[in-house]
Amino acid sequence: MRRGYNPYTLPRWLRTTRAICAQFVVPFCVFQGIRTILIPTTFDVLLLTIFILIALAIKFEFI
């Protein structure tokens, strides 16, 4: 049986990296969303999707 997720069991460097990503992912999503609206390319849409998935994973503590 799998235990629940506890972020404090992660190494310190990984917790620091996760905290830094949590601070920067929302501004990146906003910037990429504006860029996708102005100049929609396949790469921009994929990048925006990746940023949104990362933001959701951090929000719901999957990462």
Side-chain angles (χ1 to χ4, degrees):
M1 177 171 265
R2 185 175 171 177
R3 292 186 281 164
Y5 173 74
N6 186 1
Y8 296 107
T9 59
L10 299 173
R12 185 175 177 92
W13 64 270
L14 191 57
R15 284 186 283 159
T16 305
T17 304
R18 184 180 180 272
I20 291 170
C21 287
Q23 289 179 346
F24 285 112
V25 74
V26 173
F28 284 158
C29 284
V30 171
F31 173 76
Q32 193 63 34
I34 292 170
R35 181 180 162 153
T36 303
I37 289 171
L38 294 177
I39 309 168
T41 63
T42 305
F43 177 72
D44 289 329
V45 173
L46 289 175
L47 194 59
L48 180 61
T49 304
I50 290 169
F51 283 149
I52 289 173
L53 290 176
I54 291 171
L56 290 174
I58 290 174
K59 170 72 175 160
F60 293 117
E61 295 183 352
F62 290 132
I63 296 178

